[in-house]
């Protein structure tokens, strides 16, 4: 039985450094190649030695597919391709290809320039790595080689995020990457057709959560900002540069437009500007509203949002500032926070999750006095708000995707083990399909039952159709006779005559003959006639002939009668039938063995 | 090359000349006129190859065919069909046959046999499909013939097993359109029954194809089943299971059709009981269907989602707890139950503390959930609308909002529940959706009372920069109920803010406050001292009377005071003065109040007491009185008419409900009066040259009557055919009068002849148009004329005029019969510009200036095409501007709003002067739709009759001061 094997090198019962190996139909594929945010040592990157102890990976991998540009999905890519060594194709969508190097470069700068690490990949390596990238379009089927083909589907989550359908022969796997089933202000919802893969590998970040409607959250957010602005306060929104930041920008921009507000909105510069540029370009990847209105106006060309300058923070009057990073642990957002913390009119809105130990986490937990470096304390008087804007599918969304794709097996990655356990149970209960959740380095094996395609000749098909009833009934299987020819890697089903012709063989007739002894006191001819009438009464709907040369033909079966030498009353019936009429022949022989009914004339 | 071409041209030409001679005998087939069939025959014979033939057929199809020659054409086509080997030509012929059998007046039963015969020999599947389509057309043309129907059904059944999907599809369509409604097929056709092996009716045959291998055929099967339903056939309940199975089909069009099918069945058998699989319980079919369709709201294809969301709205029989599930979405976080933001808001509100800053983990989940009870794929209806309202495509969201509206209108408790969701939709990213949800909320607002926090969210939208949104919201506030006085205060505050930010909303805001006040008098009462800033001891400064905000507050207070008699006691002196002023200047906003020591208003308030019934009675009586006019002498009759007109006009002023009808009658009577006066002039007995002066008045009268009749016909809506006939009758009389006058003044015979002919045409067209109404017009002018018609058309003009003169004088007055409630007069009021400004609009001559126009139109049908803006300059120049269709909005039934800009321009003036702006109602007497059988044949027919086009001014003109300055060099 053919098997599909899935081994997570990262993201197995864990969030971070997504890297999943799939062997399908003799092909090996690496899905995502990410880094882990939580570690600074070797555990940061997936353990590529699992694939091979020494030497390059090129021989062992047929292709690498990157689902989107977040570092936990693509952060280890230059390390793998340039430092470990891989020269095969790397597939990603166009936006991912455009934005990925920006983030990698930023990541490299922080690790090398700020933390002073050595033995890290260089800018040149990022460039070399990106040269190996083959871009994908949505719904475009790409042939990696003769047998392996991949196809990308829209996944929401961030700009350019994709789900991939990987297919070898009739076996297939779908990998979702991160996805979002509810649309937001700048991206649509994930969508896949009923491709019925053998395995659906899905993320499960929110395996145990069902989220509230996003409209409530948005409305709350806007109301908070609006009220604060009307009071004349300043609003600080710490964000990470890409993804949610753009959503919030659009949200505020349209709100400003709608409500005719005049207070300025600033965005701290940096890599955001470059990224924003790509957001403007890849309009086709955004949601319906932006796609529809971009002819009049590109929504990412913000009217109200301007670049931030350090000096603006001291300007009087209300304003809204987006600043990086998102957890208030360093950089510009922290500087601004320090400046504004003392005024109770001001507000800080945390749009996402904060790691323990960061200032963001502290203030969210209600701490009102913060200790800064140099023993200074900071009184936090401003209002602190928390709004969750997250773009992962919740439990309901995951179930919805399963319903859309109708997989035969399910495999969960990118989530916590306990939560996965719950979802696994639910999936098995609702859909009655197997669900796997391998840990890192653990292999999940799924046996598949691939269908083998066979070419059938049209003539044969038509002939068989003509034999049956008028309606092709999908519920009733039908048997047909033909010859299966296996030649040069192809299978063909043809009629036997054609097969003989093609193979240059002569037809051999195979006949079965059988003697049946019968006690019958009549003459040979009478017996024959009695047999004829008997068969006529039993076999209705068959052609039965009494031939003058002393035989009875039932279809092509010949019956002859002769008296035995010893006893004139014992008649010997000779039955002869060809192989094709085996069914009827054996039926007749058993029928005649029982003897003739006495009532016959 | 050129020579060669030329030669070919000559060849062609000469052939065209020759062939009519050769083919002349063919004409005697059956046709008296030179007909198309002969031409077609020639063309088809001429065609050497199939491409040519196809070209001829295509050309042929562009022109209509006369009814009498259809059959000939069909024969020729069929003849050619048998000869033709090319599939495409046969296909075209087949489609032409279908088109031809649609020709009006042609009964296609004579070609049924031929069409069926062609089927039997046809090899090409495409042509087969087209032929079946033709049969479908023929079948629908012959609804009365069961024999034909039976044969066609047999044909369809025979071809159902074809391998090509189109053929199967067409067969199913045939069955759907023609399948017998009540009896099973077998009753009258034994042969068919045996061939199908048992008793089969159309439904089970069609339902066999629900499982076809081709999705298009599956769709076709469902569609034809729906077609059966539309034709009144009762679909069997067994189909329900099959339809439900199709809901999970792989193809979207199948799912979409299946949703409709399930819906149809749920409407047919709402109360049947169906079992729930995998359990022993049973539920009502409509609930089951509702659950299944709700499930489709989260389908993969947005077309299906739209279909499902729309369908949900019309399933009103569903049980309440299923309905409420559609809004339910159990939240959980880390396996613990979480409350939704809506629930939290409600709780905060009920606990008395409204605005609390949300804390980190404020929404922290409380109770621990049992993992077994959490149902992730919600069975049934769970959260359907929550999904629908959050959908990616705005089409789905709009459909969901509309469905919510329909369901909420029939269930008050559901309305209460869906309120939060609708309010959330006010924040949608697409304006259309926001607008729609505001409208919906208005429609269901009778059921609901807004909580303070909800009102807060609603009012937040008042700052929206889109005028449509704000006005829709104002409409909404007009109809909402609120619960506390804080709500009133909040609303007032936000409205004043709105007024401040967008001063153009003035009227709308005032109107909104008027309703708010009259709806909640008791809630306004405690606020009055604060609102009017009165103080028990100190005199406060008198507010500025021109401040729109102050007027807004007063409008609120006065309207509340109308049903709250204790309120005026709280007013200060200046408030009474302001009341008097506002009552005069803004009488539509400020109601009459019973104020102490103000007797005048008491009188005023009484005028509303006259009930509509009594007014109606009065109207009827007045009209009845007119009918006695025949018996009166001329002066008496005129007086009676005069008085009645005066009465009716006054009635219209007093009873706004009947204003349309009263005006209509008055105008009609005025026409009669004018006619009567014109006819009773003494001049008729005088010699022609002596009566020049009187002639002028009579001519003017005739002209006026004509104009009035156009007003009668086009300015009033709700007229039935009989009234239109009456109006046309008056117009005919006026035309007759004109003709007589022409005959008397001008001696030239030529113009007289032509105008006589024209008049005769008019009579004819009247006869044609109002054939059904003629019995009601007995003894009238037209009736008499039609009797004399043969004589009229042959006699000389002078004689004709004489006859007319006598008939006209003898003919009596036609009685008006009408339903007064239905007749409405189209009116328009220009709100902007107000015409009060003394500051001229200055602009450089030669350039343009845009003038904003804002007007409300009432009872105007199809304003996009009929309403125009006229600008009249002091030099007599006038421009008519057609507003864009997008400038019209429809805020309510029979009401339109025109917000547009007109561009003014003129050469330089020395000093500012006024221009006039008014609205015109354009009409055209040819507006009655002409019926044509052949779709693209309009160009070849002459216009039905000379259309009379014109305009009626229907708004008061507004004067605008403008000043084009000379260009500075």
């Amino acid at each position: 039985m053919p098997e599909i094997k899935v081994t997570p090198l990262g993201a197995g019962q864990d969030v971070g450094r997504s890297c999943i190996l799939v062997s399908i139909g003799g092909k090996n594929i690496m899905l995502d190649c990410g880094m882990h945010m939580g570690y600074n040592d070797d555990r940061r990157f997936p353990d590529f030695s699992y694939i091979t102890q020494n030497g390059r990976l090129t021989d062992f991998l047929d292709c690498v597919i990157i689902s989107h540009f977040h570092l936990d999905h693509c952060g280890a890519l230059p390390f793998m391709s340039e430092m470990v060594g891989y020269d095969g194709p790397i597939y990603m969508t166009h936006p991912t290809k455009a934005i990925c190097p920006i983030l990698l470069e930023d990541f490299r700068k922080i690790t090398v320039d700020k933390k002073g690490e050595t033995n890290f990949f260089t800018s040149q390596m990022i460039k070399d790595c990106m040269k190996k990238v083959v871009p994908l379009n949505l719904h475009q089927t790409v042939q990696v080689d003769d047998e392996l083909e991949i196809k990308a589907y829209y996944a929401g989550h961030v700009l350019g995020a994709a789900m991939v359908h990987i297919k070898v022969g009739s076996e297939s796997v779908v990998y979702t990457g991160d996805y979002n089933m509810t649309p937001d202000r700048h991206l649509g919802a994930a969508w896949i057709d009923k491709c019925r893969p053998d395995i659906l590998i899905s993320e499960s970040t929110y395996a145990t959560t069902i989220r509230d409607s996003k409209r409530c959250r948005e409305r709350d957010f806007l109301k908070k900002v609006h009220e604060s602005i009307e009071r004349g306060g300043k609003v600080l929104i710490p964000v990470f540069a890409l993804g949610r930041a753009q959503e919030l920008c659009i949200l505020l921009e349209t709100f400003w437009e709608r409500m005719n507000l005049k207070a300025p909105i600033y965005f701290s510069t940096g890599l955001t500007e470059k990224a924003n540029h790509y957001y403007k370009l890849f309009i086709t990847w955004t949601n319906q509203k932006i796609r529809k209105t971009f002819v009049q106006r590109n929504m990412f060309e913000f009217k109200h949002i301007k670049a931030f300058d350090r000096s603006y923070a001291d300007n009087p009057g209300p304003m809204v500032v987006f600043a990086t990073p998102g957890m208030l642990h360093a950089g510009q957002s922290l500087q601004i926070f320090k400046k504004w913390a003392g005024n109770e009119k001001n507000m800080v809105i945390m749009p996402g999750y904060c790691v323990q130990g960061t200032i963001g986490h502290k203030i969210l937990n209600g701490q009102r006095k913060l200790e800064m470096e140099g023993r200074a304390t900071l009184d936090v008087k401003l209002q602190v708000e928390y709004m969750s804007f997250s773009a992962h599918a919740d439990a309901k969304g995951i179930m919805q995707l399963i319903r859309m794709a109708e997989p035969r097996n399910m495999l969960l990655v990118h989530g916590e083990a306990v939560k996965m356990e719950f979802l696994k149970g639910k999936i098995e209960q609702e859909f009655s399909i197997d669900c796997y959740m391998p840990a890192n380095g653990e292999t999940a094996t799924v046996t598949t039952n691939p269908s083998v395609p066979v070419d059938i000749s049209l003539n044969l098909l038509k002939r068989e159709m003509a034999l049956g009833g008028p309606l092709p009934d999908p519920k009733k299987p039908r048997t047909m006779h033909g010859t299966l020819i296996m030649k040069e890697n192809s299978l063909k089903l043809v009629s036997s005559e054609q097969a003989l012709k093609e193979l240059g063989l002569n037809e051999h007739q195979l006949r079965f003959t059988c003697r049946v002894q019968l006690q019958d006191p009549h003459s040979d001819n009478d017996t024959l006639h009695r047999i004829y009438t008997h068969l006529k009464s039993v076999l209705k709907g068959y052609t039965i002939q009494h031939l003058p040369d002393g035989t009875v033909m039932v279809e092509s079966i010949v019956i002859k009668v002769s008296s035995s030498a010893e006893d004139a009353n014992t008649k010997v019936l000779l039955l002869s039938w060809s192989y094709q009429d085996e069914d009827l022949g054996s039926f007749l022989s058993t029928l005649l063995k029982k003897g003739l009914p006495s009532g016959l004339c | 090359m050129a020579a060669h071409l030329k030669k070919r041209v000559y060849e062609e030409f000469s052939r065209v000349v020759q062939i009519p001679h050769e083919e002349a005998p063919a004409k005697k087939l059956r046709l008296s006129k030179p007909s198309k069939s002969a031409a077609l025959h020639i063309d088809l014979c001429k065609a050497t190859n199939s491409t040519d033939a196809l070209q001829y057929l295509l050309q042929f199809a562009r022109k209509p065919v006369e009814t009498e020659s259809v059959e000939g054409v069909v024969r020729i086509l069929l003849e050619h069909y048998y000869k033709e080997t090319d599939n495409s030509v046969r296909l075209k012929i087949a489609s032409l046959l279908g088109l031809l059998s649609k020709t009006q007046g042609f009964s296609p039963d004579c070609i049924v046999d031929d069409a069926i015969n062609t089927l039997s020999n046809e090899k090409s599947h495409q042509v087969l499909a087209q032929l079946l389509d033709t049969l479908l057309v023929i079948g629908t043309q012959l609804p009365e013939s069961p024999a034909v129907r039976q044969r066609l059904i047999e044909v369809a059944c025979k071809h159902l097993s074809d391998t090509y999907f189109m053929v199967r599809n067409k067969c199913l369509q045939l069955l759907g359109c023609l399948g017998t409604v009540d009896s099973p097929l077998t009753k009258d056709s034994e042969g068919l029954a045996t061939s199908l092996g048992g008793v089969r009716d159309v439904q089970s045959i069609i339902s066999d194809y629900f499982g076809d291998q081709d999705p298009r055929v599956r769709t076709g099967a469902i569609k034809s089943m729906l077609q059966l339903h539309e034709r009144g056939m009762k679909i069997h309940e067994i189909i329900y299971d099959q339809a439900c199975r199709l809901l999970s089909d792989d193809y979207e069009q199948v799912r979409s059709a299946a949703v409709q099918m399930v819906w149809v069945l749920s409407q047919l058998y709402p109360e049947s009981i169906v079992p729930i699989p995998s359990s022993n319980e049973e539920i009502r079919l409509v609930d089951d269907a509702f659950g299944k369709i709700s499930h489709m709201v989260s389908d993969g294809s947005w077309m299906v989602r739209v279909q499902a969301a729309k369908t949900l709205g019309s399933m009103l029989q569903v049980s309440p707890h299923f309905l409420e599930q559609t809004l339910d979405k159990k939240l959980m976080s880390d396996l613990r139950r979480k409350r939704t933001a809506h629930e939290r808001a409600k709780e905060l509100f009920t606990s008395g503390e409204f605005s609390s800053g949300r804390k980190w983990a404020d929404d922290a989940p409380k109770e621990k959930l049992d993992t077994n009870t959490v149902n992730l794929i919600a069975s049934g209806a769970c959260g359907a609308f929550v999904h629908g309202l959050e959908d990616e495509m705005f089409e789905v969201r709009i459909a969901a909002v509309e469905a919510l509206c329909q369901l909420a209108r029939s269930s008050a408790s559901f309305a209460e529940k869906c309120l939060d969701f609708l309010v959330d939709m006010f924040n949608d990213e697409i304006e259309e959706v926001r607008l729609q949800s505001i409208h919906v909320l208005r429609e269901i607002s009778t059921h609901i009372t807004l909580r303070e926090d909800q009102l807060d969210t609603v009012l937040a939208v008042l700052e929206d920069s889109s005028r449509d949104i704000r006005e829709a919201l104002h409409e909404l506030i007009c109809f909402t109920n609120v619960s506390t006085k804080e709500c009133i205060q909040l609303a007032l505050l936000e409205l004043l803010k709105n007024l401040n930010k967008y001063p153009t909303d003035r009227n709308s805001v005032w109107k909104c406050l008027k309703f708010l006040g009259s709806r909640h008098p008791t809630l306004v009462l405690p606020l009055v001292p604060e609102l009017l800033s009165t103080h028990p001891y100190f005199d406060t400064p008198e507010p500025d009377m021109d401040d729109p905000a102050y007027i807004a507050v007063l409008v609120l207070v006065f309207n509340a005071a109308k049903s709250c008699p204790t309120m005026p006691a709280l007013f200060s002196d200046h408030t009474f003065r302001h009341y008097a002023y506002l009552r005069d200047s803004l009488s539509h906003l400020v109601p009459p109040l019973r104020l102490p020591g103000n007797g005048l208003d008491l009188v005023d308030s009484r005028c509303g007491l006259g009930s509509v019934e009594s007014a109606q009675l009065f109207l009827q009586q007045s009209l009845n009185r007119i009918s006695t006019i025949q018996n009166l002498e001329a002066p008496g009759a005129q007086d009676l008419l005069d008085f009645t007109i005066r009465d009716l006009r006054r009635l219209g002023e007093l009873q706004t409900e009947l204003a349309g009808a009263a005006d209509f009658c008055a105008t009609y009577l005025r026409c009669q009066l004018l006619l009567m006066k014109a006819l009773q002039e003494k001049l008729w007995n005088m010699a022609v040259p002596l009566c020049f002066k009187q002639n002028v008045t009579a001519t003017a009268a005739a002209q006026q009557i004509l104009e009035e009749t156009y007003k009668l016909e086009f300015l009033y809506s709700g007229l039935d055919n009989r009234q239109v006939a009456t109006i046309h009758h008056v117009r005919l009389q006026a035309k007759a009068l004109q003709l007589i006058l022409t005959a008397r003044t001008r001696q030239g015979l030529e113009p007289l002849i032509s105008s006589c002919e024209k008049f005769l045409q008019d009579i004819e067209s009247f006869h044609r148009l109002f054939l059904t109404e003629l019995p009601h017009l007995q003894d009238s002018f037209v009736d008499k004329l039609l009797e004399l018609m043969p004589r009229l058309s042959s006699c000389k003009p002078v004689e004709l005029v004489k006859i007319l003169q006598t008939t006209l004088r003898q003919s009596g007055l036609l009685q008006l019969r009408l339903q007064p409630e239905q007749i409405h007069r189209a009116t328009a009021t220009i709100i902007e510009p107000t015409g009060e400004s003394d500051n001229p609009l200055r602009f450089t001559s030669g350039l343009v200036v845009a003038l904003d126009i804002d007007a409300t139109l009432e009872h105007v049908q199809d304003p996009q095409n009929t309403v125009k803006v006229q600008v009249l300059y002091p030099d007599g120049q006038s421009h008519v501007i057609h507003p864009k269709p997008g400038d019209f909005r429809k805020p309510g039934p029979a009401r339109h709003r025109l917000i547009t800009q007109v561009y003014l321009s003129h050469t330089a003036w020395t000093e500012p002067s006024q221009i006039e702006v008014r609205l015109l109602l354009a009409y055209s007497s040819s507006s009655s739709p002409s019926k044509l059988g052949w779709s693209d044949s309009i160009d070849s027919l002459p216009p039905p009759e000379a259309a009379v086009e014109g305009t009626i001014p229907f708004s008061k003109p507004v004067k605008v001061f403008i000043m084009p300055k000379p260009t500075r060099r």
Side-chain angles (χ1 to χ4, degrees), chain A residues 233-364:
Chain A
K234 297 177 168 62
V235 181
L236 171 68
I237 306 171
V239 286
F240 288 104
L242 287 176
R244 288 320 95 203
Q246 273 70 21
E247 185 191 349
L248 293 179
C249 280
I250 292 233
L251 192 59
L252 277 191
E253 166 88 9
T254 42
F255 188 70
W256 249 240
E257 188 100 8
R258 262 178 63 198
M259 295 305 182
N260 241 336
L261 298 178
K262 294 286 180 283
I265 309 175
Y266 298 113
F267 206 120
S268 72
T269 49
L271 82 175
T272 322
E273 262 183 31
K274 265 191 228 163
N276 246 351
H277 176 63
Y278 289 115
Y279 270 84
K280 274 181 225 166
L281 287 181
F282 293 108
I283 285 296
T284 44
W285 287 79
T286 54
N287 73 2
Q288 188 193 20
K289 158 90 176 169
I290 300 177
R291 266 183 287 136
K292 283 213 161 151
T293 52
F294 103 100
V295 183
Q296 287 97 37
R297 184 189 156 204
N298 194 327
M299 292 275 277
F300 290 104
E301 273 163 20
F302 300 125
K303 258 189 210 160
H304 300 275
I305 301 176
K306 294 158 213 132
F308 183 68
D309 185 275
R310 195 163 297 224
S311 62
Y312 293 168
D314 297 323
N315 283 359
M319 65 172 88
V320 180
V321 175
F322 288 94
T324 51
M327 298 185 194
L328 280 182
H329 51 277
Q332 204 152 33
S333 60
L334 185 61
Q335 284 172 11
I336 300 170
F337 176 74
K338 280 184 197 160
K339 269 186 190 158
W340 291 358
N343 192 339
E344 64 273 6
K345 272 203 266 177
N346 297 344
M347 182 188 285
V348 61
I349 298 180
M350 310 295 297
Y353 177 71
C354 289
V355 172
Q356 207 157 22
T358 56
I359 292 184
H361 190 257
K362 283 179 197 158
I363 57 170
L364 279 178

Side-chain angles (χ1 to χ4, degrees), chain A residues 55-332:
Chain A
R56 302 171 74 77
L57 298 173
T58 318
D59 303 335
F60 302 92
L61 291 177
D62 288 280
C63 72
V64 174
I65 301 168
I66 303 295
S67 66
H68 63 282
F69 60 64
H70 277 157
L71 284 180
D72 61 333
H73 290 259
C74 70
L77 197 58
F79 174 77
M80 185 210 59
S81 74
E82 305 309 310
M83 296 172 80
V84 180
Y86 169 74
D87 299 320
I90 301 169
Y91 290 96
M92 50 177 83
T93 61
H94 285 277
T96 311
K97 190 190 173 189
I99 299 173
C100 192
I102 308 178
L103 286 171
L104 285 172
E105 182 61 31
D106 189 58
F107 173 44
R108 190 198 65 79
K109 256 192 212 152
I110 291 172
T111 10
V112 177
D113 298 353
K114 291 230 170 115
K115 295 184 185 157
E117 271 189 56
T118 49
N119 192 22
F120 204 72
F121 53 77
T122 59
S123 300
Q124 189 53 44
M125 284 180 178
I126 297 176
K127 277 179 198 156
D128 289 343
C129 168
M130 293 321 283
K131 278 177 194 157
K132 296 172 184 167
V133 170
V134 184
L136 282 174
N137 284 316
L138 280 184
H139 302 182
Q140 173 200 18
T141 308
V142 175
Q143 293 283 347
V144 177
D145 55 33
D146 286 345
E147 289 153 29
L148 175 63
E149 59 180 49
I150 57 178
K151 185 176 176 185
Y153 290 96
Y154 192 75
H157 190 63
V158 288
L159 191 77
M163 307 194 271
V164 267
H165 182 231
I166 302 149
K167 197 173 162 200
V168 178
S170 66
E171 296 169 283
S172 61
V173 169
V174 168
Y175 174 61
T176 62
D178 291 354
Y179 64 101
N180 188 8
M181 293 301 284
T182 43
D184 63 29
R185 286 284 167 157
H186 73 310
L187 297 173
W191 182 84
I192 197 163
D193 54 30
K194 246 183 207 157
C195 50
R196 301 199 171 89
D198 289 306
I199 309 181
L200 175 66
I201 305 174
S202 167
E203 64 132 335
S204 51
T205 324
Y206 285 109
T208 55
T209 303
I210 300 175
R211 263 180 292 145
D212 200 353
S213 104
K214 61 158 191 167
R215 253 170 246 287
C216 285
R217 275 175 282 149
E218 283 176 3
R219 202 189 56 206
D220 269 7
F221 173 77
L222 293 173
K223 203 169 143 195
K224 293 270 157 59
V225 174
H226 191 188
E227 276 170 4
S228 185
I229 290 296
E230 281 201 330
R231 274 201 308 268
K234 297 177 168 62
V235 181
L236 171 68
I237 306 171
V239 286
F240 288 104
L242 287 176
R244 288 320 95 203
Q246 273 70 21
E247 185 191 349
L248 293 179
C249 280
I250 292 233
L251 192 59
L252 277 191
E253 166 88 9
T254 42
F255 188 70
W256 249 240
E257 188 100 8
R258 262 178 63 198
M259 295 305 182
N260 241 336
L261 298 178
K262 294 286 180 283
I265 309 175
Y266 298 113
F267 206 120
S268 72
T269 49
L271 82 175
T272 322
E273 262 183 31
K274 265 191 228 163
N276 246 351
H277 176 63
Y278 289 115
Y279 270 84
K280 274 181 225 166
L281 287 181
F282 293 108
I283 285 296
T284 44
W285 287 79
T286 54
N287 73 2
Q288 188 193 20
K289 158 90 176 169
I290 300 177
R291 266 183 287 136
K292 283 213 161 151
T293 52
F294 103 100
V295 183
Q296 287 97 37
R297 184 189 156 204
N298 194 327
M299 292 275 277
F300 290 104
E301 273 163 20
F302 300 125
K303 258 189 210 160
H304 300 275
I305 301 176
K306 294 158 213 132
F308 183 68
D309 185 275
R310 195 163 297 224
S311 62
Y312 293 168
D314 297 323
N315 283 359
M319 65 172 88
V320 180
V321 175
F322 288 94
T324 51
M327 298 185 194
L328 280 182
H329 51 277
Q332 204 152 33

Side-chain angles (χ1 to χ4, degrees), chain A residues 474-524:
Chain A
K475 280 170 215 133
K476 281 187 204 139
R478 235 199 268 169
T479 48
M480 58 190 293
H481 295 275
T483 311
L484 188 71
I485 303 178
M486 290 173 77
K487 212 159 94 185
E488 292 155 7
N489 241 345
S490 72
L491 295 173
K492 261 200 309 189
L493 190 68
V494 295
S495 60
S496 43
E497 300 91 55
Q498 202 188 338
L500 286 169
K501 216 163 80 187
E502 242 172 71
L503 300 172
L505 297 174
N506 288 326
E507 190 177 359
H508 291 274
Q509 284 279 346
L510 190 62
R511 284 194 87 85
F512 299 93
T513 50
C514 165
R515 283 161 176 272
V516 179
Q517 292 207 335
L518 205 68
Q519 291 296 325
D520 198 65
H522 303 277
S523 73
D524 288 3

